[in-house]
Amino acid sequence: MTMTKRIAVVLLLGIASTLVFASPASAHGEKSQEAFLRMRTIGWQDITFTGGRLDEKGETHVAQGEFVTLKGVAKLMDTWPDTLAAGQPDIGFINIATQGPVVMMVERTVNGVSTPGRIEVERGNFYSFEMKLMGRRPGRWHVHPSFAVKGAGTVLGPGQWVTVERADGGFTSPVTLYNGKTINMENYGLNMVWIFQVLGFLLGMVWILYWTAGKRNPDGSPKSWMGGKRTVTNPAVTLSIPLNDDGVAVGLNSKRDHRAVNMMLVATTIFLLIGWIYQASAYPVKIPQQVVQFAPPETAHDSAPQLAKVNPTVADYEPDSRALTMEIEVTNISDSPITVAEYTTSTLTFIPQGGSATAPSGYQQTMQVSPSGAIQPGQTQKLTFKIDGNSLVEEHLVPTSESQLTMAGLVVFKDSTGRESSVEIEEPLRPRF
Ligand SMILES: [Cu+2]
């Protein structure tokens, strides 16, 4: 078999194997980041997906064009690791993470303010967000809230399966322009985009083929008008002549090549000129793409009085039984009795038995808190959290093989009047192997 044939067979087998054996991706890298990064960076709380219809598994169904609203609170935690590229995070972006443009972001607010783009962020602050999403591409998708920080990366909160069902007439995305005309964002100007893409591609192909395709006679003369150029077949010569020498003297290029290149230059210039004249006359009114960047106002979460002070003392993970035990000393610094409402870390929310908290159903777990009673004002109490670690294993949140053996997250307390406040905890995980 010749080399070319061999390559062709390999390529064919490759394509065939992806067509036959590959299954659609069921995850999208949400568990690939180190556990300590996901636990120490963003604290997710009260994540809800509303709108559409829930099926018996708790998954959301919407038709194309219908809305689902994703709400929640993200805390940029003080436990943010200094080792992350952005030692002091200052620019953030709250968004969703899912399998491509399957829903459309219709409106996003952060701390009650419309937020089309990125925001200025600060460690220790809370960001209460709301994103209105419109079903776009039919299919079953996993949608997460995400928090990106410039220089560091993106972490994901708990997700929800959202099935977008095909609607009669498909998906349209109407937008009313300044001139009162309504357009469909799904295909607006698409023809022109295609025409310019294809023409530009063809110009590029002419250039590439001119310099590469075709064969030469044994004596080195081209077999056809664009027979294989020596620039490609003689790289040793090409490399040994000076940078600004076109190599006519050594037979690399010819007068004919110069003519051909000049013709391609003229054609490309005319192409760009036509494009420029077309856009200037077809779209006379336009504004540059806008940057809207600001620091969101404070939320009730930022100004809420602290109810408790905590001092974590033990984090112990038993690999065989997968039992996680955490001990924390809690001091009630408020004026009424308090109890633990939840412990939230990365995508998971642990709720004391008999308690209730808001989190997507797939990410809600129970934990045993002992003693279970309320802590009186001024009192310091040692609490033990017992957590079934299977959900941690499932979410790749057991950091036993990482550079930082640590458990972190937010412990949320509530008092008898319903006031809530959260405290960050971070405790080295006692290694046991
Ligand atoms: Cu997911």
Side-chain angles (χ1 to χ4, degrees):
M1 235 191 290
T2 66
M3 197 58 166
T4 337
K5 268 190 191 156
R6 222 174 284 174
I7 291 172
V9 168
V10 168
L11 281 178
L12 243 146
L13 284 177
I15 293 167
S17 67
T18 42
L19 287 178
V20 178
F21 303 116
S23 54
S26 60
H28 38 105
E30 63 238 63
K31 301 172 192 170
S32 61
Q33 279 165 318
E34 285 98 331
F36 77 87
L37 277 184
R38 286 181 286 150
M39 289 192 285
R40 291 181 57 188
T41 48
I42 303 292
W44 301 95
Q45 222 189 308
D46 300 341
I47 306 295
T48 59
F49 290 78
T50 48
R53 297 158 295 285
L54 287 182
D55 65 12
E56 68 283 357
K57 284 181 287 181
E59 299 183 2
T60 298
H61 290 252
V62 289
Q64 285 176 304
E66 271 185 349
F67 300 110
V68 54
T69 300
L70 167 48
K71 264 195 218 182
V73 181
K75 183 184 189 193
L76 185 53
M77 290 166 69
D78 285 309
T79 51
W80 181 275
D82 284 311
T83 43
L84 274 192
Q88 221 29 272
D90 59 347
I91 299 288
F93 182 54
I94 295 173
N95 197 9
I96 56 160
T98 182
Q99 292 105 314
V102 297
V103 290
M104 199 178 89
M105 178 88 63
V106 181
E107 167 70 340
R108 165 177 39 219
T109 60
V110 175
N111 296 356
V113 181
S114 176
T115 308
R118 66 189 204 172
I119 49 175
E120 287 155 22
V121 295
E122 208 176 305
R123 251 192 221 195
N125 283 1
F126 290 85
Y127 300 95
S128 177
F129 57 84
E130 182 170 338
M131 294 182 275
K132 191 178 178 190
L133 311 168
M134 199 201 296
R136 180 168 182 264
R137 186 179 290 169
R140 180 171 171 265
W141 316 112
H142 208 210
V143 181
H144 298 252
S146 73
F147 200 120
V149 170
K150 190 181 173 193
T154 302
V155 270
L156 306 191
Q160 165 85 350
W161 285 104
V162 176
T163 300
V164 178
E165 286 153 4
R166 197 173 292 281
D168 298 336
F171 179 75
T172 57
S173 170
V175 170
T176 306
L177 299 180
Y178 180 66
N179 62 11
K181 227 172 89 182
T182 299
I183 58 159
N184 178 9
M185 284 286 276
E186 287 298 287
N187 55 20
Y188 184 63
L190 211 55
N191 289 342
M192 270 302 146
V193 171
W194 269 109
I195 289 170
F196 279 96
Q197 291 282 333
V198 169
L199 287 178
F201 176 79
L202 289 178
L203 270 173
M205 282 313 287
V206 169
W207 176 265
I208 289 174
L209 289 176
Y210 180 81
W211 288 108
T212 57
K215 290 199 165 70
R216 296 183 81 85
N217 295 315
D219 67 353
S221 60
K223 264 194 168 153
S224 65
W225 69 273
M226 60 172 213
K229 298 292 176 291
R230 291 193 153 182
T231 41
V232 178
T233 53
N234 296 30
V237 180
T238 311
L239 288 173
S240 59
I241 61 171
L243 192 61
N244 291 321
D245 189 330
D246 62 3
V248 172
V250 289
L252 269 186
N253 283 319
S254 63
K255 279 251 159 64
R256 209 184 47 185
D257 291 335
H258 278 220
R259 252 201 320 276
V261 165
N262 286 338
M263 272 154 58
M264 281 185 255
L265 174 71
V266 170
T268 311
T269 311
I270 291 173
F271 172 63
L272 292 177
L273 204 67
I274 290 173
W276 191 86
I277 292 169
Y278 169 75
Q279 65 83 17
S281 62
Y283 307 97
V285 181
K286 47 186 175 275
I287 55 168
Q289 206 158 33
Q290 297 298 295
V291 177
V292 183
Q293 181 188 317
F294 59 93
E298 266 207 349
T299 61
H301 287 271
D302 292 296
S303 49
Q306 282 294 315
L307 301 178
K309 259 196 197 152
V310 298
N311 175 28
T313 51
V314 173
D316 179 275
Y317 179 72
E318 218 289 299
D320 293 327
S321 65
R322 295 186 166 178
L324 177 75
T325 306
M326 286 200 293
E327 286 177 18
I328 57 173
E329 276 173 16
V330 179
T331 305
N332 183 346
I333 54 171
S334 77
D335 46 18
S336 71
I338 59 167
T339 52
V340 174
E342 62 180 289
Y343 163 52
T344 163
T345 184
S346 183
T347 49
L348 297 173
T349 300
F350 298 94
I351 305 163
Q353 273 164 347
S356 69
T358 309
S361 51
Y363 297 88
Q364 259 187 55
Q365 306 290 330
T366 53
M367 66 173 174
Q368 231 179 63
V369 179
S370 52
S372 60
I375 303 166
Q376 298 307 316
Q379 193 195 349
T380 298
Q381 171 96 58
K382 192 177 90 181
L383 295 182
T384 306
F385 293 178
K386 280 213 183 302
I387 287 170
D388 170 9
N390 279 303
S391 56
L392 295 168
V393 173
E394 166 75 15
E395 288 293 299
H396 299 198
L397 281 173
V398 183
T400 46
S401 55
E402 294 178 4
S403 59
Q404 292 185 20
L405 299 175
T406 187
M407 289 300 297
L410 300 177
V411 180
V412 182
F413 294 93
K414 63 167 187 255
D415 70 7
S416 47
T417 65
R419 282 191 306 176
E420 278 194 0
S421 86
S422 65
V423 195
E424 290 181 18
I425 56 164
E426 188 186 9
E427 177 64 15
L429 192 70
R430 201 181 270 177
R432 278 219 230 167
F433 301 100

